[in-house]
Amino acid sequence: MWNQGKYGEASMAGYTQSPGGFGSPAASQGGDKKGRTRAQQIVPCTVSQLMSAVQAEDVFKVGEVEIAQVTIVGVIRNTDKSTINIQYKVDDMTAAPMDVKQWIDTEDMGVDNSVIPPGSYVKVSGNLRSFQNNRSLVAFSVRVLEDMNEVTSHMLEVVNAHMQQSKPQSMMGGGAGTNMMPTAQTSMSSTGSYSGASMMLVNGLSANQNQVLSLIKSCHEPQGISMQDLKQKLSSMSVTVIRYTPPLGRVS
Amino acid sequence: MTGVYESPKPRINASMLSQYIGRPVCFVGRLEKVHPSGKALTLSDGEGKSASVELSEPLDEELSGIVEVIGMVSNKGTVMAVSYTQYREDKISFDLELYNEGLKVLHDFPQHYPFEIWKD
């Protein structure tokens, strides 16, 4: 199902190459068949985005991004349990805590229905609902974070997901197109190759990653640029981030 | 100060404190020092810079490692905390430097990670 519990599962979420068999082919990625194509991805969001989402009939949109199933990461501020559901208020720092409702499955003994205490950081996956001007999430999963680095990864995934889906469709074809990224450097357009399921679009690199790449490219020595040099030139960046720069294709 | 909970609380590091005076923030850092009174803490952020935190009541528990504080920034640039949460590291340690980088990304792209609600 949703690969719950696996660190980084949300790294697949938000992109149509998701493993879930929703029968949503790459067509929805291109957005050409806008008519009946619904968002089949699960999109990482902030509570502020969910509250700001524009609703047209039963479709929610954050900017250009259509959202239905979403994930948020936040800390539980309140809990309220009844016999049929558990209600939480989850605070992700972007707005007032959001109402999250989780139905209790009284028959399924395999599911843990104990209330997660306030002060716990959780990742919530669910559907956005609006009722009488009140926005809430109906959760199909509320999972306590065991690795707090998921806070960081969620932050980055939110920015990435909303940034990628805001791009003009011509980007998907691998063409250079217009450079919409304010921080991407033009040297990136020459890379051209769009490596399949990779999350790395030509202009999809962060400012930091672009800096690292251009430094690597600028070094003309056969053995390449050393970590020491990179670290020195990018004094504002931690070694962790420099190392973290994902595969950039053929850089040699 | 229940108003702080209901407001957006931008995640910031020590260098940004001066830009958020009088505003609610969320500060995550490593616990360096607890004042003997138990009412003040020193946290260091992912860049190694320090921030002072004042608590409304003395600490009644042992705190260590990574702490997230929510509160208003005073004129002196200290965080007047209304609550704190310790980040668990029992299974996996928290990469504070990477969090700091992530924080910078948030501030680079406020249109994709808004700390406010846009209402038409």
Side-chain angles (χ1 to χ4, degrees), chain A residues 123-151:
Chain A
K123 175 173 272 186
V124 180
S125 305
N127 287 280
L128 183 60
R129 290 275 182 269
S130 187
F131 181 65
Q132 291 177 351
N133 245 359
N134 207 308
R135 296 268 164 98
S136 65
L137 275 186
V138 175
F140 50 80
S141 162
V142 180
R143 173 174 64 81
V144 173
L145 293 189
E146 296 194 335
D147 178 358
M148 290 304 291
N149 292 299
E150 286 197 65
V151 170

Side-chain angles (χ1 to χ4, degrees), chain A residues 46 49 155 158-160 162-164 166, chain B residues 109-114:
Chain A
T46 63
Q49 286 167 333
M155 280 160 41
V158 168
V159 173
N160 199 11
H162 291 264
M163 202 158 71
Q164 293 219 6
S166 299
Chain B
F109 298 102
Q111 70 276 34
H112 298 305
Y113 202 98

Side-chain angles (χ1 to χ4, degrees), chain A residues 3 26 30 51 64 79-80 102 121 129 133 143 148 162 178 185 196 203 211 215 218 221:
Chain A
N3 296 331
M51 299 300 287
E64 294 302 305
T79 66
D80 187 4
Q102 186 178 29
Y121 253 96
R129 290 275 182 269
N133 245 359
R143 173 174 64 81
M148 290 304 291
H162 291 264
T178 357
Q185 296 172 9
N203 295 311
Q211 271 184 286
L215 272 179
S218 67
E221 272 145 52

Side-chain angles (χ1 to χ4, degrees), chain A residues 182-197:
Chain A
T183 52
Q185 296 172 9
T186 48
S187 60
M188 283 314 297
S189 340
S190 57
T191 313
S193 60
Y194 174 55
S195 42

Side-chain angles (χ1 to χ4, degrees), chain B residues 17 20 24-26 30-31 36 39 41 44 50 55 65 69 79-80 83 89 91 93 98-100 111 117-118:
Chain B
L17 280 168
Y20 284 83
V25 296
C26 171
R30 188 178 304 282
L31 185 65
K39 288 190 70 171
L41 316 172
S44 64
S50 292
L55 304 175
V69 167
V79 181
M80 311 298 287
S83 85
E89 294 188 280
K91 299 218 165 111
S93 62
L98 193 58
Y99 169 80
N100 189 69
Q111 70 276 34
I117 296 179
W118 304 90

Side-chain angles (χ1 to χ4, degrees), chain A residues 46 48-49 51-52 77 91 93-94 96-97 121 145-149 155 158 208 236 238 240-241, chain B residues 5-6 8-9 11 68 70 87-88 91 93-95 97 101 104 112-119:
Chain A
T46 63
S48 55
Q49 286 167 333
M51 299 300 287
S52 307
R77 296 282 183 216
D91 184 357
M93 312 303 162
T94 64
Y121 253 96
L145 293 189
E146 296 194 335
D147 178 358
M148 290 304 291
N149 292 299
M155 280 160 41
V158 168
N208 285 340
S236 63
S238 74
T240 321
V241 173
Chain B
Y5 282 108
E6 304 301 312
K9 302 159 282 286
R11 291 183 177 273
E68 176 184 87
I70 307 244
Y87 276 17
R88 62 184 292 185
K91 299 218 165 111
S93 62
F94 182 71
D95 189 335
E97 285 181 352
E101 293 302 317
K104 291 201 270 189
H112 298 305
Y113 202 98
F115 279 103
E116 59 190 328
I117 296 179
W118 304 90
K119 280 286 184 218

